[in-house]
Amino acid sequence: MTHAIKLSILVSTILVLPATGQLQAADGVPQPNIVLIMSDDMGYSDLGCYGGEINTPNLDRLARNGLRFSQFYNTSRCCPTRASLLTGVYQHQAGFGLMTGNKNLPGYQGELGRNVVSIAEALGTAEYRSYMSGKWHVTRFTNPRGPKDNWPLQRGFDKFYGTIIGAGSFYDPATLCRANTYITPENDPEYQPATYYYTDAISDNAVTFLQQHRQETPGKPFFLYVAYTAAHWPMHALPKDIARYQGRYDSGFAAVREQRLKRLKKIGLLDSSIKLSPQSDDWDAVEDKAWEAGNMEVYAAMIDNMDQGIGRILAELKRQRQLDNTLIMFLQDNGGCAEGFGRYTPKNPYRTDYEPLGIDGLQTKIWPPMQTRDGRALRVGPGVMAGPEDTFIGYGRGWANVSNTPFREYKHWTHEGGISTPLIIHWPAGISRTRGGQLEHQPGHIIDIMATCLDASGTSYPSSYGDHELIDLEGVSLLPALSGMSLARTDALYFEHHLNCAIRDGDWKLVRKGQTGQEPRLFPWELYNMSTDRSELHDLAGEHPETVERLSASWEAWAQRALVKPWPYQFEGSQ
């Protein structure tokens, strides 16, 4: 079986170059623009159109006029997902089996390989202009002097504003970069808002790129990749946005989860038989309820602000009369994050000897102990209300459990809470009139995004790029779903991160946890029927040993082929 891309007959066409210089399909219809939007560390049920109570009117509008996938998957972690998203292959094949460190193994380079291309590089062969605003996080080389071989401009993008690493302050981001040069919010000559806030900056620079494209290359289609860091820790948000959620979460974890589940079932995203996974934390046992609820208020405000920025991007597309022929996709990099960053009482007093960084001083840290640009220490721990620039708080496991309603586990795991993401597709010129506002229940995966972009543009995936031979794509185009047709998938979907493993084949899902560290180990496989038990409450492995054997063999064959193995862990059976 080949894993080469199979483009949809309905959409793929031969390109011609008319006298105007604008690439068009053979039938004369202009190639669509493509806008790919990704959020960070958000759960399946946070958006209003996916059952949440957070105010997301712009994404909700895209959903009402577009298509929502109910069973779309990422890789459960930030940079592996981004590597897979950009290249259309599994993350290990792109070099990102883990994070950005180099383990000196083929699947664990912490650097995008040259045997894959980015979406921007592939679309560049069809004369698309490509722009990126936001989080990159697919290179281990973050020094201001480089090497920069795998920075955005060297991987196909024509313009870039954002951060090279994966996290940090929203008021003073580390590794903030324009094109190939590190900048600070204070010395950037092109963007000086009254109040700097990174989510706003990502949105505003995306709008600027659209405006510049209109002025500079109006006859060419564009690809815009908008990679937000909302709602990744630290919980930083503007007071005006936080104020909208005052008191919204005083009822606690369980009440909000129950309300979300009801809405998910009413929408039809989940079957009426689905039950909540176990509650992770007891609201009655929370000592400082005001602090805990306040953390979630800030988290919600971060998402609200992101949606406002998406609204500005949509307004610019509409102003340019490009909205109808722009393929827009929104998704998330992993499930809600249960990590406890900033939720501890500091062991040592806060430093008082920080020097202000000045206009040109670069932030060098992404978590405390660290400082604000004017020299204050960042505060952590219970009682420190999240939101301001001198705080560093995560929203914690209890609210991550809410974000992932109704699923088990979180970012990092391959149970549903770690790998499930919304996917909204909006393209008025490409979606069947009968599909607008509908749900799509066919499973999809982050590996499918590249194939979808190529299919929409009528572009073939190259067999080589520069001097490098390329491996085949793993994903399939999602465009048939826009007309109510079946996806042309011929294989199962596979997962692995930090020894957490899974395979999704039809309604069956085989999943197991792993343990890394000093004593790596693999736990037994669990088997679930996704059609009746997507919350993964009833392990059927003992009842269907033949299915476990078949799926585990398929997973093992994939792990060998897709560079999951050899693993960077030493334990019995690790090879």
Side-chain angles (χ1 to χ4, degrees):
M1 178 182 61
T2 178
H3 295 273
I5 183 172
K6 299 180 177 68
L7 297 183
S8 153
I9 295 175
L10 289 179
V11 181
S12 297
T13 52
I14 300 173
L15 300 178
V16 296
L17 188 63
T20 62
Q22 177 163 351
L23 279 170
Q24 296 182 338
D27 59 3
V29 177
Q31 290 175 286
N33 306 304
I34 301 172
V35 176
L36 177 59
I37 306 173
M38 173 171 278
S39 64
D40 199 347
D41 276 19
M42 285 174 54
Y44 182 79
S45 66
D46 282 325
L47 303 180
C49 53
Y50 275 80
E53 68 293 320
I54 299 173
N55 190 37
T56 55
N58 294 294
L59 286 169
D60 296 352
R61 187 169 72 252
L62 291 179
R64 282 196 303 272
N65 298 306
L67 195 66
R68 273 170 291 178
F69 279 69
S70 64
Q71 301 187 84
F72 203 78
Y73 291 115
N74 50 47
T75 75
S76 85
R77 200 58 170 263
C78 41
C79 48
T81 284
R82 290 160 206 278
S84 189
L85 172 84
L86 284 167
T87 62
V89 301
Y90 286 104
Q91 66 267 30
H92 309 78
Q93 297 169 301
F96 273 90
L98 289 174
M99 302 292 278
T100 53
N102 184 7
K103 300 298 183 181
N104 295 310
L105 291 169
Y108 303 87
Q109 297 290 306
E111 195 77 6
L112 283 182
R114 287 293 171 177
N115 60 344
V116 295
V117 290
S118 74
I119 297 173
E121 289 171 322
L123 290 177
T125 66
E127 299 196 26
Y128 272 72
R129 296 280 292 175
S130 292
Y131 312 103
M132 180 182 173
S133 186
K135 170 177 170 176
W136 183 236
H137 207 201
V138 283
T139 178
R140 66 178 187 270
F141 295 112
T142 61
N143 188 288
R145 295 178 298 278
K148 303 179 181 180
D149 307 62
N150 270 323
W151 288 24
L153 295 195
Q154 285 65 249
R155 295 308 303 238
F157 289 92
D158 296 290
K159 295 184 181 183
F160 169 64
Y161 173 90
T163 44
I164 299 298
I165 60 172
S169 171
F170 282 73
Y171 299 96
D172 190 18
T175 72
L176 187 63
C177 186
R178 185 174 292 284
N180 275 327
T181 303
Y182 278 177
I183 57 174
T184 73
E186 295 188 359
N187 71 9
D188 181 6
E190 298 185 34
Y191 182 69
Q192 287 293 324
T195 299
Y196 183 91
Y197 181 64
Y198 188 34
T199 305
D200 278 338
I202 292 172
S203 302
D204 294 344
N205 278 274
V207 170
T208 296
F209 290 155
L210 293 176
Q211 295 169 341
Q212 291 172 343
H213 177 87
R214 178 80 167 182
Q215 296 165 358
E216 298 165 0
T217 53
K220 294 183 181 294
F222 62 78
F223 168 57
L224 173 64
Y225 175 33
V226 185
Y228 289 101
T229 53
H232 196 292
W233 47 258
M235 301 295 104
H236 281 166
L238 300 174
K240 66 179 180 64
D241 296 323
I242 300 172
R244 296 189 182 96
Y245 296 92
Q246 185 173 2
R248 182 77 62 90
Y249 297 100
D250 291 353
S251 59
F253 310 129
V256 181
R257 288 185 86 214
E258 290 169 0
Q259 292 163 4
R260 288 191 177 193
L261 180 61
K262 288 180 181 178
R263 287 191 290 266
L264 282 162
K265 291 181 177 181
K266 183 177 181 180
I267 293 169
L269 286 161
L270 294 178
D271 186 80
S272 60
S273 65
I274 299 297
K275 294 180 171 55
L276 283 172
S277 61
Q279 183 74 36
S280 68
D281 292 76
D282 182 2
W283 186 253
D284 291 337
V286 172
E287 294 183 3
D288 190 342
K289 290 182 173 58
W291 179 73
E292 197 68 81
N295 289 331
M296 186 60 185
E297 291 172 9
V298 176
Y299 176 86
M302 295 169 76
I303 296 171
D304 189 312
N305 182 279
M306 177 189 71
D307 185 82
Q308 295 172 45
I310 292 171
R312 296 197 293 278
I313 294 170
L314 298 179
E316 180 61 27
L317 291 171
K318 187 174 182 180
R319 187 187 72 82
Q320 295 188 19
R321 298 182 180 178
Q322 293 294 324
L323 187 59
D324 282 356
N325 198 38
T326 297
L327 168 62
I328 300 172
M329 293 178 280
F330 174 89
L331 70 167
Q332 297 161 190
D333 66 346
N334 46 247
C337 176
E339 296 164 353
F341 282 98
R343 298 176 61 81
Y344 52 86
T345 300
K347 296 180 179 179
N348 301 310
Y350 294 114
R351 283 180 57 178
T352 58
D353 60 345
Y354 284 119
E355 293 290 334
L357 294 174
I359 188 173
D360 296 320
L362 299 176
Q363 281 282 6
T364 59
K365 293 185 176 182
I366 62 172
W367 50 64
M370 60 187 291
Q371 66 172 92
T372 61
R373 180 153 293 275
D374 60 7
R376 290 170 291 156
L378 266 62
R379 299 172 293 132
V380 300
V384 176
M385 294 305 295
E389 63 178 322
D390 65 342
T391 65
F392 194 100
I393 310 291
Y395 79 152
R397 186 179 64 182
W399 292 119
N401 188 216
V402 171
S403 287
N404 295 337
T405 301
F407 304 136
R408 283 178 57 190
E409 304 303 342
Y410 318 90
K411 168 186 177 179
H412 168 86
W413 283 276
T414 55
H415 286 76
E416 292 292 284
I419 60 175
S420 297
T421 171
L423 174 67
I424 302 169
I425 297 182
H426 182 274
W427 184 18
I431 294 180
S432 167
R433 291 184 179 180
T434 61
R435 296 290 280 161
Q438 298 298 305
L439 304 177
E440 177 54 64
H441 297 296
Q442 294 182 81
H445 192 286
I446 204 88
I447 57 173
D448 299 331
I449 299 299
M450 165 76 91
T452 304
C453 292
L454 295 180
D455 197 357
S457 67
T459 307
S460 297
Y461 181 71
S463 60
S464 62
Y465 191 82
D467 297 329
H468 303 278
E469 295 297 315
L470 304 180
I471 63 174
D472 290 341
L473 289 186
E474 296 281 344
V476 302
S477 173
L478 301 172
L479 293 192
L482 305 190
S483 300
M485 300 172 62
S486 296
L487 303 181
R489 199 180 307 282
T490 58
D491 199 0
L493 298 173
Y494 300 92
F495 307 85
E496 191 280 334
H497 182 64
H498 279 173
L499 297 179
N500 298 292
C501 313
I503 173 175
R504 174 74 192 267
D505 187 12
D507 287 336
W508 288 117
K509 181 182 176 186
L510 193 69
V511 59
R512 68 182 174 193
K513 289 185 178 181
Q515 175 180 291
T516 59
Q518 293 184 345
E519 297 183 1
R521 60 176 294 199
L522 292 167
F523 292 87
W525 286 109
E526 305 163 15
L527 180 67
Y528 300 99
N529 187 323
M530 292 287 100
S531 67
T532 57
D533 183 26
R534 201 168 163 207
S535 298
E536 298 168 307
L537 301 179
H538 305 290
D539 181 5
L540 302 176
E543 299 178 31
H544 299 278
E546 72 291 346
T547 302
V548 174
E549 182 177 1
R550 175 177 63 84
L551 294 180
S552 61
S554 294
W555 186 92
E556 182 66 30
W558 167 80
Q560 296 289 344
R561 176 181 68 79
L563 306 182
V564 176
K565 295 186 175 184
W567 266 317
Y569 315 103
Q570 295 301 317
F571 62 101
E572 184 177 355
S574 64
Q575 301 304 312

